[in-house]
């Protein structure tokens, strides 16, 4: 497993500004936490998801490819950073 975070630079009120993912060796997302501008948190894993967040349907592209798009800043993060975001996201659901 490896973990990464994408900062999405945009002004869309209904889209996340941070996306944190746990990725398997096959490059598919296993879990995802999203942070929205208004502080809302959403999440998804292989068997459950929240109303606006789901796992990607294709393998995660290389981070260099993500970073080629000026609206994104992607970087590998430690597992602990992902786990903190994950715990906050799943704890935010009713």
């Amino acid at each position: 497993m490896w973990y990464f975070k994408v900062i999405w630079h945009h002004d869309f009120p209904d889209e996340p500004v941070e996306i944190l993912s746990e990725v398997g060796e096959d490059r598919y997302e296993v879990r995802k936490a999203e942070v929205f501008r208004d502080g809302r948190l959403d999440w998804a894993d292989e068997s459950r998801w929240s109303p606006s967040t789901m796992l990607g349907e294709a393998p995660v592209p290389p981070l260099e490819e993500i970073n080629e798009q000026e609206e994104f800043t992607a970087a590998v993060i430690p597992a602990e950073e992902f786990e903190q975001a994950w715990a906050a996201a799943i704890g935010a659901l009713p």
Side-chain angles (χ1 to χ4, degrees):
M1 297 288 179
W2 59 280
Y3 305 86
F4 77 103
K5 175 168 61 175
V6 174
I7 306 298
W8 187 4
H9 311 281
H10 66 77
D11 294 323
F12 308 118
D14 296 328
E15 297 292 342
V17 293
E18 289 186 19
I19 304 163
L20 299 94
S21 297
E22 176 182 56
V23 181
E25 290 183 27
D26 59 0
R27 299 196 66 86
Y28 280 88
E29 291 178 314
V30 176
R31 295 186 291 166
K32 177 190 286 185
E34 294 184 335
V35 180
F36 292 78
R37 191 175 313 282
D38 64 3
R40 182 170 49 97
L41 304 169
D42 274 341
W43 61 276
D45 67 18
E46 293 176 309
S47 62
R48 303 167 296 168
W49 49 89
S50 62
S52 65
T53 300
M54 58 189 265
L55 298 180
E57 296 179 359
V60 173
L63 297 187
E64 298 81 20
E65 191 175 310
I66 296 170
N67 284 322
E68 287 175 0
Q69 302 174 58
E70 66 181 44
E71 68 267 23
F72 298 121
T73 304
V76 172
I77 60 171
E80 297 78 20
E81 183 176 348
F82 174 82
E83 293 298 343
Q84 287 177 344
W86 178 255
I90 62 173
L93 291 179

